[in-house]
Each structure stands twice: as structure tokens, then as C-alpha cells.
């Protein structure tokens, strides 16, 4: 998506909300998932070298002997990947559960300044780590935005997100029907893109989705930077009728920069994430592995992060050219 920095930035073109467009995008995504899934297994989620890579290295160093490939235990590998993804997810989850609790938030309502400057700044992992990362100069804009943000606004946005998440989990979510949702309007996560659920520059798409993802990982995917980049690669970087390049990118024509679309609507992203889960569930089942429903989107995030890491060199190149880099997601 192109934009000029001197005009109001849009999220995505209207066509991106149309089910006909979404179906075309996902068909392309689906056609590429299998290849990445095989690489996901062969490299243990990106942390191991494949037998093919070992053979290439041996030849590069002048060896004529072809290393004998070890038989791959696909079921064991996939089971281990699930366990690792869940362990990583749970490593800081309790903090989110304690902070983004409806009763706890009621207590914070009497001192929104402390909520911003103590709780969000020092206790919420995703915000604390961002603020404390002094090595990444691109995060300076986030630190400034956080400093300038009104405490009441940050509290109200956080509280609204938690209220919506809990209400939908109690009164709308049906585990037996959730995976069969086939239309974006039936998922209807549009409210999470509303003004009440955003604090511009501080609590954007990725950060707000982290809050609710940590509460209900079976219901809400995390819209991380890696996940949006992964959709760009899974969709073969195609435009599918969009006039201004891929919906998954932000291309600043004036500054000649490109990065993931940090405005990408959560309502659309969540639909793609659900369909990707269904496809992964089918692929895991081929190896006699059942995905844990209660950690549905943990598995999706692990896979999408892997897809992005497969293209890390290109992503790093794009980031190096972004002088106006943002991190509110």
C-alpha cells in the first residue's frame, strides 16, 4: 500500500474487506503453506540445518562423500515444536493475566497515572522491553509517543480491550463452531479496530492484540510484525486487485521506505489467521499430531514467525532503509 507522509494514512483499500478478494488472497496463501510447512519440519522450526544444506556445505568444502541422511521423525518434531511454542508463550503470560484482569483494572481506574508509568512502563513485557531497548534507534519514536500519551487514554483503551475480549469469550465464542467460520462478517472482529481500542503510536495493532492473545490464545491471534510480513510472502507479494501494491506493506513514496503495514486491520488479519490454523491443523493431522485447541493461535504465530525468518535478510534490508520506522505494534 502506498501513502504520502503528508496526507492522512489509510489502513487498507476497501477491496480488502470484500470476501471475493479475501478468498483469492487465501487461495494463494494456502497454495504456499505446504512448502513452508515442510521446511518448518525439516529445520525444526528454523533452528536446525537440513540434510540438503549439509550436503551443499560438504560439496562447498570439497568433500565428495554425501552425508547419510538420518530418518526424520516428523511426528516427534512437530510435537516438540508445539511444546516449545507453548512454553515460550507461557513464559510471561501470567503477568498479562494479572494485569489485564477486569477486577485489577477497576482498581487501577483510581490512578491512571500509575497504570501508565508503573504498570504499562515497567510490568507489561511487550511495552517494557520496547521502552528499554536503547540499542534500536528506530524505537525512539515509540518512546516519545509513550511519554506524550495521556494516561487516561492508555487506561481506557486497555480496559476496553479487556472488556470486549472477556465479553466475547463469555457470550459469543463457541469452540465447536469457531473453526468452521467461513465468512469474515461471521467472525466480526471489526470493533477491535475502532478508536476506543487504539492509542495511536503506543497501543497499535500488534501491542493491543498481544494483550488479548495472552488472555485467550484460542480466540485471538497476535498481529505481530512477523505475521504481517509472513502474509506478504505467503501471498507471493501479489496485489489481488489493489491499486497501491500489497495490502501487507506500507510504502512511503516521499521517503522511499517500505515496511510491514502497521495499520493492517485486525478484523481482516484474524480471519486469515483462523483459516491458516485450519490448514495447519490438517497438515499436522497427516503426521498423526493433534493441535491443542486452547493454544490455537500460538501455533499460528509460531508458524508465521518461521515464514518471516525464512526471509530475514530481505526484511533486515527493508528495515535498514526505513528512517521513519515505527513500533506501536
Amino acid at each position: 500500500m502506498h501513502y504520502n507522509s503528508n496526507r492522512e494514512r489509510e489502513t487498507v483499500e476497501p477491496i480488502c474487506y470484500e470476501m471475493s478478494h479475501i478468498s483469492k488472497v487465501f487461495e494463494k496463501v494456502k497454495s504456499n503453506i505446504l512448502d513452508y510447512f515442510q521446511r518448518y519440519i525439516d529445520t525444526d522450526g528454523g533452528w536446525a540445518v537440513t540434510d540438503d544444506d549439509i550436503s551443499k556445505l560438504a560439496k562447498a568444502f570439497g568433500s565428495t562423500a554425501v552425508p547419510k541422511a538420518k530418518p526424520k521423525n516428523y511426528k516427534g518434531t512437530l510435537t516438540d515444536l508445539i511444546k516449545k511454542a507453548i512454553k515460550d508463550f507461557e513464559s510471561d503470560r501470567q503477568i498479562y493475566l494479572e494485569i489485564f484482569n477486569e477486577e485489577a483494572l477497576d482498581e487501577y481506574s483510581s490512578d491512571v497515572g500509575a497504570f501508565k508509568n508503573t504498570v504499562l512502563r515497567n510490568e507489561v513485557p511487550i511495552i517494557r522491553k520496547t521502552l528499554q531497548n536503547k540499542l534500536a534507534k528506530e524505537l525512539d519514536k515509540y518512546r516519545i509517543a509513550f511519554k506524550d500519551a495521556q494516561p487516561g487514554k492508555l487506561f481506557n483503551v486497555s480496559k476496553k480491550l479487556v472488556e470486549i475480549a472477556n465479553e466475547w469469550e463469555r457470550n459469543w465464542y463457541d469452540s465447536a463452531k469457531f473453526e468452521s467460520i467461513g465468512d469474515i462478517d461471521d467472525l466480526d472482529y471489526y470493533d477491535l479496530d475502532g478508536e476506543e481500542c487504539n492509542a495511536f503510536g503506543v497501543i497499535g495493532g500488534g501491542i493491543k492484540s498481544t494483550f488479548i492473545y495472552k488472555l485467550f490464545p484460542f480466540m485471538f491471534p497476535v498481529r505481530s510484525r512477523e505475521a504481517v510480513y509472513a502474509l506478504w510472502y505467503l501471498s507471493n507479494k501479489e496485489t489481488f486487485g489493489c491499486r497501491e501494491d500489497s495490502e501487507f506493506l506500507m510504502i512511503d513514496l516521499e521517503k522511499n521506505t517500505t515496511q510491514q503495514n502497521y495499520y493492517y486491520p485486525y478484523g481482516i488479519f484474524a480471519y486469515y489467521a483462523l483459516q491458516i490454523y485450519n490448514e495447519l491443523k490438517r497438515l499436522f493431522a497427516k503426521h498423526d499430531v493433534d493441535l491443542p485447541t486452547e493454544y490455537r493461535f500460538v501455533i499460528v504465530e509460531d508458524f508465521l514467525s518461521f515464514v518471516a525468518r525464512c526471509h530475514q535478510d530481505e526484511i533486515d534490508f527493508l528495515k535498514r532503509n526505513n528512517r521513519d520506522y515505527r513500533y506501536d505494534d
Side-chain angles (χ1 to χ4, degrees):
M1 189 182 95
H2 296 163
Y3 68 89
N4 294 318
S5 54
N6 62 349
R7 71 172 173 84
E8 183 178 358
R9 300 170 183 180
E10 301 171 350
T11 54
V12 291
E13 296 175 35
I15 191 177
C16 299
Y17 288 92
E18 297 177 8
M19 201 60 220
S20 58
H21 170 86
I22 290 170
S23 296
K24 291 178 183 177
V25 174
F26 185 68
E27 279 304 307
K28 179 60 66 175
V29 169
K30 182 178 178 181
S31 72
N32 285 315
I33 285 179
L34 180 58
D35 286 343
Y36 281 102
F37 183 76
Q38 190 60 51
R39 293 165 67 183
Y40 183 63
I41 299 175
D42 291 340
T43 64
D44 293 351
W47 308 115
V49 180
T50 66
D51 292 330
D52 186 51
D53 289 335
I54 293 174
S55 296
K56 290 178 181 177
L57 284 172
K59 291 179 181 178
F61 283 99
S63 174
T64 57
V66 178
K68 187 177 180 180
K70 297 179 181 179
K72 191 77 174 179
N73 179 3
Y74 286 164
K75 181 177 181 179
T77 297
L78 291 172
T79 301
D80 289 344
L81 285 171
I82 291 173
K83 290 179 180 178
K84 182 182 183 303
I86 293 174
K87 182 179 179 181
D88 291 345
F89 170 79
E90 289 287 352
S91 63
D92 62 1
R93 186 188 186 192
Q94 189 58 37
I95 300 172
Y96 289 92
L97 292 174
E98 292 174 359
I99 293 173
F100 298 106
N101 174 287
E102 289 182 294
E103 293 182 3
L105 286 174
D106 285 339
E107 296 181 10
Y108 296 137
S109 64
S110 61
D111 192 348
V112 294
F115 179 76
K116 172 191 173 182
N117 294 308
T118 299
V119 178
L120 291 181
R121 180 193 297 274
N122 300 325
E123 298 177 22
V124 176
I126 191 171
I127 294 179
R128 172 176 56 79
K129 292 175 183 178
T130 302
L131 292 173
Q132 293 179 356
N133 185 351
K134 304 299 184 181
L135 297 178
K137 296 300 291 181
E138 67 267 18
L139 300 182
D140 286 346
K141 291 188 68 176
Y142 182 83
R143 284 184 276 271
I144 293 171
F146 186 89
K147 179 181 178 181
D148 293 343
Q150 292 296 318
K153 174 64 173 178
L154 298 185
F155 174 79
N156 289 336
V157 167
S158 300
K159 190 170 188 294
K160 185 65 175 180
L161 286 166
V162 172
E163 288 176 344
I164 288 177
N166 278 277
E167 179 186 351
W168 289 0
E169 191 276 331
R170 285 192 298 260
N171 301 323
W172 174 81
Y173 177 74
D174 185 335
S175 180
K177 298 179 180 179
F178 187 72
E179 293 173 14
S180 64
I181 291 175
D183 190 287
I184 190 171
D185 289 337
D186 292 333
L187 185 62
D188 194 15
Y189 277 7
Y190 301 125
D191 285 354
L192 293 168
D193 289 312
E195 185 176 343
E196 289 183 310
C197 294
N198 286 278
F200 182 79
V202 181
I203 302 178
I207 287 180
K208 72 179 180 184
S209 66
T210 297
F211 292 176
I212 56 179
Y213 167 67
K214 289 291 185 176
L215 298 180
F216 306 115
F218 51 86
M219 189 175 173
F220 299 109
V222 58
R223 203 221 66 186
S224 64
R225 285 177 294 170
E226 291 77 11
V228 178
Y229 270 126
L231 288 174
W232 184 47
Y233 290 108
L234 285 168
S235 62
N236 277 358
K237 306 180 183 180
E238 296 181 19
T239 61
F240 303 96
C242 291
R243 299 186 309 276
E244 301 181 339
D245 214 292
S246 172
E247 64 200 82
F248 303 115
L249 296 182
M250 291 289 286
I251 302 173
D252 189 325
L253 298 175
E254 292 183 353
K255 297 183 178 179
N256 193 29
T257 61
T258 301
Q259 56 189 299
Q260 58 91 16
N261 185 359
Y262 42 73
Y263 290 111
Y264 199 78
Y266 187 73
I268 304 177
F269 172 81
Y271 179 81
Y272 285 128
L274 176 57
Q275 303 313 313
I276 289 171
Y277 169 80
N278 287 334
E279 188 63 17
L280 290 176
K281 181 179 179 181
R282 184 183 67 81
L283 292 172
F284 272 80
K286 284 189 172 183
H287 299 287
D288 197 27
V289 178
D290 294 326
L291 292 181
T293 302
E294 64 272 26
Y295 291 103
R296 177 180 287 118
F297 290 117
V298 173
I299 310 306
V300 173
E301 167 62 9
D302 192 62
F303 177 74
L304 292 180
S305 293
F306 165 76
V307 172
R309 289 199 306 275
C310 288
H311 304 276
Q312 196 61 56
D313 288 345
E314 182 177 13
I315 292 173
D316 287 343
F317 175 79
L318 293 174
K319 288 170 64 176
R320 282 196 298 272
N321 287 285
N322 289 335
R323 300 186 303 277
D324 190 31
Y325 195 76
R326 276 174 41 115
Y327 189 96
D328 65 344
D329 56 334

